[in-house]
Amino acid sequence: MKIEWNSPGPVSGAFMDARNDVDALMGPIGAGKTTTNLFKHMTLATEGLPSPADGVRRYRLGVVRDTYRELWSSTIPSWWKRVPPDTGEWTGGHDQPAVHRIRFDDGRGLIEYEVWFRAIGEQAVEAALRGVEVTSWYLNEADLLAPGVFIYCRSRMGRFPDKSLHGEPAYYCTTMDFNAPAIDNYLYLLLVEAPPPKFNLFVQPSGFDPQKLLSRCW
């Protein structure tokens, strides 16, 4: 498998390099936010620790979207542009949960990388994500998700791989992206007004100075 990808700009590049508990990328439609998030996690997989059992590095990403309609019409096609479904093992049907498992060698050894695609819809978050044990999470269009989704996912990171078999993950996090949300959206308080330590917001300016963009959005 050969994948070539270049950051669409300096803000996306800084987002790729960041290693916080939460890294969020805000920007306009068509700015490459989804692909940047997906490839950030693939990069994190290459930085993982080899299993003491077999030397393989393992990483599982949980991708969460508001509805299956949006997941299949937007998020999954963005992933398929870089990693087609006939690469590795793809399971899952249209408008349902899906999993993509791939194996690749980055020159330092074998990596097993999994992407679990889920949507919340009208379900409670516990029902929608029950049984999903991941290394890290990516909340796509996070402003459309309820605050409880973020809270639930933050409490269930670093659960893959099985520590008793393959050791602790080297690093895990939650990333997210969104267009500029409304002032009453939970993301405004969480990431702009009073961000906790190691919660970082990256703003793609779309031709504006970042601070001017924020003042226009909020």
Side-chain angles (χ1 to χ4, degrees):
M1 184 181 71
K2 183 179 181 180
I3 297 176
E4 295 181 356
W5 180 82
N6 295 314
S7 170
V11 174
S12 293
F15 172 83
M16 288 285 293
D17 293 338
R19 298 293 181 267
N20 298 292
D21 291 342
V22 175
D23 283 318
L25 185 59
M26 188 185 89
I29 296 172
K33 301 185 299 296
T34 299
T35 305
T36 300
N37 269 270
L38 291 168
F39 275 82
K40 178 183 177 81
H41 289 280
M42 187 169 282
T43 300
L44 293 176
T46 68
E47 299 172 0
L49 299 174
S51 165
D54 56 14
V56 176
R57 285 166 285 167
R58 292 174 170 83
Y59 194 97
R60 180 182 291 164
L61 172 64
V63 178
V64 182
R65 188 65 199 257
D66 52 335
T67 68
Y68 278 107
R69 179 189 178 97
E70 295 300 327
L71 183 71
W72 280 88
S73 65
S74 177
T75 312
I76 288 176
S78 293
W79 170 248
W80 280 349
K81 284 181 181 179
R82 301 290 179 171
V83 186
D86 58 359
T87 301
E89 177 188 357
W90 176 271
T91 58
H94 194 71
D95 289 340
Q96 296 179 6
V99 177
H100 201 176
R101 295 181 175 90
I102 58 176
R103 293 166 65 107
F104 62 96
D105 193 318
D106 67 345
R108 298 191 298 114
L110 187 65
I111 297 170
E112 291 187 355
Y113 187 71
E114 301 180 14
V115 186
W116 289 42
F117 295 94
R118 295 291 188 276
I120 303 301
E122 296 181 356
Q123 302 178 85
V125 59
E126 293 83 358
L129 302 180
R130 183 178 294 121
V132 181
E133 304 288 339
V134 302
T135 313
S136 297
W137 295 96
Y138 163 37
L139 308 184
N140 184 211
E141 301 291 354
D143 57 314
L144 303 179
L145 297 168
V149 176
F150 174 79
I151 295 170
Y152 179 89
C153 290
R154 288 283 299 147
S155 70
R156 297 179 67 85
M157 301 187 305
R159 299 195 174 198
F160 182 88
D162 186 329
K163 299 179 181 63
S164 65
L165 295 175
H166 303 295
E168 295 274 353
Y171 172 75
Y172 49 87
C173 63
T174 297
T175 71
M176 61 176 74
D177 63 28
F178 45 88
N179 304 325
I183 192 171
D184 58 351
N185 191 280
Y186 78 100
L187 292 176
Y188 176 76
L189 176 63
L190 184 69
L191 294 168
V192 178
E193 196 167 82
K198 301 196 76 173
F199 279 42
N200 217 353
L201 173 64
F202 297 82
V203 180
Q204 293 177 320
S206 184
F208 298 107
D209 175 85
Q211 293 304 316
K212 291 181 180 178
L213 177 66
L214 286 173
S215 68
R216 287 168 181 259
C217 297
W218 293 306

